[in-house]
Amino acid sequence: MQPYRIAVFASGSGSNFQAIVDQVQKGKLDVSIELLVCDRPQAFVVERATEAKVPVFAFRPKEYESREEYESLILKELQDREIDLIVMAGYMRIITNVLIVPYYGRMINIHPSLLPSFPGVKAIEQAVAYGVKQTGVTVHFVDGGLDSGPIIAQRSVEIHEHETADSLAERIHAAEHVLLPHVIRSLREGRVSIDGRRVSIRL
Ligand code: GRF
């Protein structure tokens, strides 16, 4: 099979980035992680990438006039590396058409709720506060809206009585670390098809 080159975008701890690295290192995910894009140069994910010998493009948004300006630099990095798939894993920024247009259908995001419930920030806290009994994890294609693109895969996570956002977050993250590599593998193997909003994964 041809190499499959991915870029991961993240802003924080990077446990999902690490889950991908671990699967690759164990030989369970046949992709090449070509780049980490990070908008917070001090984030722990940058250390993880350095440890894993993944090149990092880190930047400070405040140093640019507009989103489009720094996204154009990111786009150049992606094109130079012939990236096949962008994986947004905790990248806490709105993105623009500079990236969406060239990568539509080749850019995915992981979100810690069962979308369309609880989009946006603090999805885990939102679910606890609302009192739902089930929440979960969604991986979806990225479009121009807030966590609104076509859904590729979801896993549910039960919310226990007396649950706190912290205790729930642990189980949500565990589910993410399984689901995200699973979806990347399915895309890599060409088993994902998209028809408008409806996405299917062939076994
Ligand atoms: C995850 O919960 C992901 O769903 C959300 O941001 C969090 C990132 O966590 N978009 P990590 O940095 O991968 O540990």
Side-chain angles (χ1 to χ4, degrees):
M1 250 198 268
Q2 290 275 83
Y4 190 78
R5 302 157 72 89
I6 72 168
V8 180
F9 285 41
S11 304
S13 142
S15 67
N16 281 285
F17 172 81
Q18 191 65 51
I20 300 166
V21 168
D22 292 349
Q23 291 286 302
V24 171
Q25 288 179 348
K26 286 184 194 156
K28 292 184 172 170
L29 183 58
D30 178 22
V31 304
S32 169
I33 310 171
E34 294 288 320
L35 185 66
L36 171 75
V37 173
C38 182
D39 58 323
R40 287 181 53 234
Q42 73 283 14
F44 186 53
V45 67
V46 172
E47 283 178 43
R48 294 188 195 263
T50 308
E51 173 75 27
K53 301 194 168 50
V54 171
V56 175
F57 179 78
F59 65 100
R60 290 187 174 80
K62 278 188 191 147
E63 293 175 2
Y64 299 88
E65 299 265 305
S66 64
R67 287 199 181 97
E68 285 79 2
E69 190 185 342
Y70 63 71
E71 284 190 0
S72 301
L73 298 179
I74 296 172
L75 182 63
K76 169 93 175 50
E77 295 285 332
L78 298 171
Q79 288 173 336
D80 286 351
R81 292 180 164 80
E82 300 181 349
I83 295 298
D84 296 299
L85 179 72
I86 298 174
V87 178
M88 304 268 173
Y91 181 68
M92 302 303 285
R93 303 220 147 247
I94 291 171
I95 56 165
T96 75
N97 279 338
V98 170
L99 292 176
I100 294 168
V101 170
Y103 284 96
Y104 186 77
R106 299 188 297 144
M107 176 160 40
I108 62 174
N109 179 48
I110 184 150
H111 182 78
S113 76
L114 291 177
L115 291 170
S117 292
F118 313 123
V121 294
K122 297 203 180 291
I124 297 173
E125 289 83 349
Q126 287 186 57
V128 172
Y130 196 94
V132 291
K133 306 303 181 198
Q134 296 276 338
T135 183
V137 176
T138 301
V139 180
H140 63 91
F141 285 113
V142 176
D143 65 6
L146 179 65
D147 300 320
S148 60
I151 291 170
I152 306 169
Q154 295 185 304
R155 290 290 178 276
S156 354
V157 173
E158 199 172 331
I159 300 188
H160 301 151
E161 224 168 296
H162 311 301
E163 185 89 60
T164 64
D166 283 348
S167 62
L168 177 59
E170 270 184 40
R171 299 202 309 290
I172 293 263
H173 290 314
E176 289 183 332
H177 300 162
V178 176
L179 191 64
L180 187 55
H182 162 76
V183 169
I184 296 171
R185 189 177 302 111
S186 305
L187 285 158
R188 193 274 177 271
E189 293 172 359
R191 290 186 286 108
V192 178
S193 44
I194 172 166
D195 175 15
R197 279 212 60 90
R198 303 194 65 180
V199 178
S200 47
I201 302 184
R202 286 185 303 284
L203 291 176

